[in-house]
Amino acid sequence: MAKVRSVFYCTECGNETPKWAGKCPACGAWNTIVEQEAAPKNKRVPGGRNAFHSVRAVSLTEIDTEDEIRFFTGMGELDRVLGGGAVRGSLVLVGGAPGVGKSTLMLQICGSLCRNNRVLYVSGEESVRQLKLRAQRLGVGGGNLLVLSETALEDVLQAVSDEEPDILIVDSIQTLYNGALDSPPGSIGQVKDCTMALMQLAKGRNITVFVIGHVNKEGSIAGPKVLEHMVDCVLYFEGEQHSTCRILRAAKNRFGATNEIGVFEMLDAGLEEVENPSQMLLSGRPEGAPGTCVTCVMEGVRPVLAEIQALLAPASYGNARRSSNGFDFGRAAMLLAVLEKRGGLKVSVCDAYMNIIGGLTLDEPAADLAAVLALASSYLDKPIAADLAAIGEVGLTGELRAVNNLDQRLSEVCRLGFKTCIVPLRRGKKPVPQEGLRVIEAANIGEAIRAALGK
């Protein structure tokens, strides 16, 4: 019996090594090297090198770009994240936690896609009867929508060859396996090989392929990191377990920007697009409660209002506790230090908790001022006016720095009914005045706290 040859993969970067090591020599990650049986050399891998595309090189001037290669999926929020619609011949990876709504999102877009396109939905987790029941609940149907319950890569490629669909949806990549490999489905070698076959299928036959992928406990897509490098777009579908709000964001997009987000609400009849996320994120905001402030952040070209909540309480033990949800922990600790050193508030003896409502993750400095005001409001136990918002970056000396797209942010703040907004002092060009909105310019956090709380 021939000896089975093994190779070792790094689950973070996909680097192959001849032997196991505690540290990956390529990316430096620890305890990420796993053993995988190598594919036999005498077995042909489906969707191999010359399976679907020609090897003849063409001149760049011969390529026709007059035909529209983008098409709308029927969901404006998804089209926004994709950069204006899906691209024909692209491979899109959609990842998310179990139960967040990945399969629901993909099945819902089939309702509009199958009107003008032939769609093949392949599920390795549900039978065709279960797919039919879910499609009926979502109101999805049509003669151009084909469903297949299969996990073998060879059978999926054969179905694509027989049906010749325009769009292929695979749910999920972890259930797909190649019979030429001896490793089980979901292993690193299987996921990598099946994704490569789907990529060559998409490029060779000009088929748009959507692939659903599960995420691990760290929040990244399960499988080798090289999987994200192989695909054209990587979308993450996020949402809190006890909230109906769902956020779709792009981690990688070869055909558009990666700073756009799409907002959905999970209802009984499926996902519903939220065209005005600011209004939804601010609904239910308490009035007259200390420790809350509203800011405006830019998600791509869209201004979104977010509520920052903070709670400061006397520390019960020697070391004060710090916790943040949706706000960078390191930046929150920095703002607490600036607030004590430059703002004169003794927050080092308090437990500090910060939370962003609605499951948003704020990663831009424009939310610094609102976070400082929310912390000061909780410490002084004085509420901030419900119609006041704050926008600005805070420096280590307590100064307020200007942010980009201020006029667009102020326009969104005014549109949502806010009457006052605190912004950094601008030495040059002043912000465009908004009717009904009073703009207060502050040079440092001390002036901003006095303007908001009257301290």
Side-chain angles (χ1 to χ4, degrees):
M1 183 176 178
K3 184 179 179 181
V4 178
R5 189 173 65 93
S6 298
V7 294
F8 295 86
Y9 287 95
C10 173
T11 58
E12 288 295 323
C13 64
N15 180 59
E16 293 185 13
T17 59
K19 61 181 181 179
W20 186 88
K23 181 180 180 181
C24 176
C27 64
W30 288 92
N31 298 324
T32 58
I33 304 294
V34 296
E35 185 178 4
Q36 179 67 56
E37 292 183 2
K41 295 183 179 181
N42 57 348
K43 290 187 178 181
R44 180 181 178 274
V45 178
R49 180 184 180 103
N50 300 323
F52 297 114
H53 69 281
S54 172
V55 295
R56 186 183 71 88
V58 296
S59 172
L60 191 63
T61 58
E62 299 177 11
I63 303 175
D64 184 16
T65 58
E66 295 181 358
D67 296 336
E68 181 60 46
I69 62 173
R70 283 194 184 268
F71 62 92
F72 296 113
T73 63
M75 276 195 169
E77 295 297 300
L78 177 58
D79 292 335
R80 175 195 295 271
V81 177
L82 289 173
V87 177
R88 297 197 182 277
S90 63
L91 179 58
V92 181
L93 178 61
V94 182
V100 74
K102 304 182 298 295
S103 301
T104 300
L105 175 66
M106 290 293 100
L107 192 56
Q108 274 191 249
I109 66 174
C110 291
S112 59
L113 289 176
C114 65
R115 297 173 187 170
N116 302 315
N117 302 276
R118 195 170 176 84
V119 183
L120 175 60
Y121 191 103
V122 179
S123 176
E125 303 175 349
E126 297 177 280
S127 65
V128 292
R129 292 181 179 272
Q130 292 172 330
L131 285 173
K132 177 64 179 295
L133 291 175
R134 191 152 58 89
Q136 288 178 341
R137 179 175 62 87
L138 300 175
V140 176
N144 284 334
L145 176 57
L146 309 175
V147 294
L148 174 66
S149 179
E150 188 55 65
T151 57
L153 177 63
E154 298 89 339
D155 296 336
V156 172
L157 297 179
Q158 185 61 45
V160 172
S161 179
D162 296 339
E163 303 296 342
E164 297 183 351
D166 301 307
I167 299 164
L168 172 65
I169 300 176
V170 178
D171 183 11
S172 64
I173 189 63
Q174 279 80 15
T175 62
L176 208 61
Y177 74 93
N178 179 7
L181 302 180
D182 297 330
S183 54
S187 60
I188 294 177
Q190 289 284 4
V191 171
K192 183 178 178 181
D193 188 81
C194 293
T195 305
M196 178 64 71
L198 293 177
M199 181 187 69
Q200 294 180 349
L201 174 69
K203 306 304 180 183
R205 295 200 172 186
N206 202 30
I207 298 175
T208 304
V209 180
F210 290 91
V211 176
I212 295 177
H214 300 302
V215 298
N216 51 30
K217 61 182 180 180
E218 288 82 15
S220 58
I221 295 178
K225 195 67 176 178
V226 71
L227 178 64
E228 299 186 16
H229 299 296
M230 294 165 60
V231 301
D232 297 312
C233 301
V234 179
L235 308 181
Y236 279 96
F237 206 36
E238 306 168 352
E240 298 292 336
Q241 184 178 4
H242 303 291
S243 174
T244 59
C245 180
R246 300 289 187 268
I247 297 176
L248 182 68
R249 64 177 73 249
K252 171 188 176 182
N253 190 357
R254 288 175 177 163
F255 311 110
T258 58
N259 52 4
E260 293 285 357
I261 67 167
V263 183
F264 301 86
E265 186 176 6
M266 179 64 78
L267 304 176
D268 294 337
L271 292 166
E272 182 176 330
E273 299 178 71
V274 178
E275 297 181 358
N276 191 353
S278 299
Q279 188 173 5
M280 185 196 71
L281 294 173
L282 296 181
S283 62
R285 182 176 177 230
E287 295 185 5
T292 175
C293 187
V294 173
T295 187
C296 185
V297 296
M298 296 297 297
E299 296 290 351
V301 298
R302 169 196 285 181
V304 177
L305 266 63
E307 178 186 355
I308 301 178
Q309 289 187 342
L311 176 63
L312 292 179
S316 303
Y317 305 99
N319 295 327
R321 185 177 181 182
R322 302 286 187 258
S323 177
S324 63
N325 183 25
F327 198 91
D328 183 69
F329 181 81
R331 198 159 191 86
M334 183 198 75
L335 294 177
L336 285 167
V338 173
L339 185 60
E340 177 162 355
K341 183 72 173 180
R342 309 300 179 189
L345 303 182
K346 196 69 175 178
V347 296
S348 60
V349 296
C350 299
D351 293 336
Y353 304 89
M354 293 185 62
N355 180 43
I356 309 300
I357 299 300
L360 278 179
T361 300
L362 304 186
D363 55 358
E364 69 164 324
D368 289 353
L369 180 57
V372 168
L373 294 181
L375 291 167
S377 172
S378 179
Y379 181 86
L380 300 172
D381 202 26
K382 290 184 178 181
I384 297 176
D387 59 355
L388 183 144
I391 305 169
E393 179 183 357
V394 176
L396 289 180
T397 61
E399 84 282 7
L400 300 185
R401 299 294 186 92
V403 299
N404 58 353
N405 300 313
L406 181 59
D407 293 333
Q408 193 173 355
R409 299 174 196 256
L410 292 177
S411 177
E412 180 71 7
V413 168
C414 182
R415 189 180 69 84
L416 267 292
F418 287 81
K419 303 300 182 183
T420 308
C421 187
I422 302 178
V423 300
L425 178 65
R426 302 185 69 173
R427 309 295 182 184
K429 181 182 177 182
K430 298 297 180 180
V432 177
Q434 304 289 333
E435 184 177 356
L437 179 65
R438 177 188 173 208
V439 178
I440 300 177
E441 296 185 357
N444 51 59
I445 61 171
E447 295 181 8
I449 293 174
R450 286 190 292 270
L453 300 172
K455 176 180 175 295

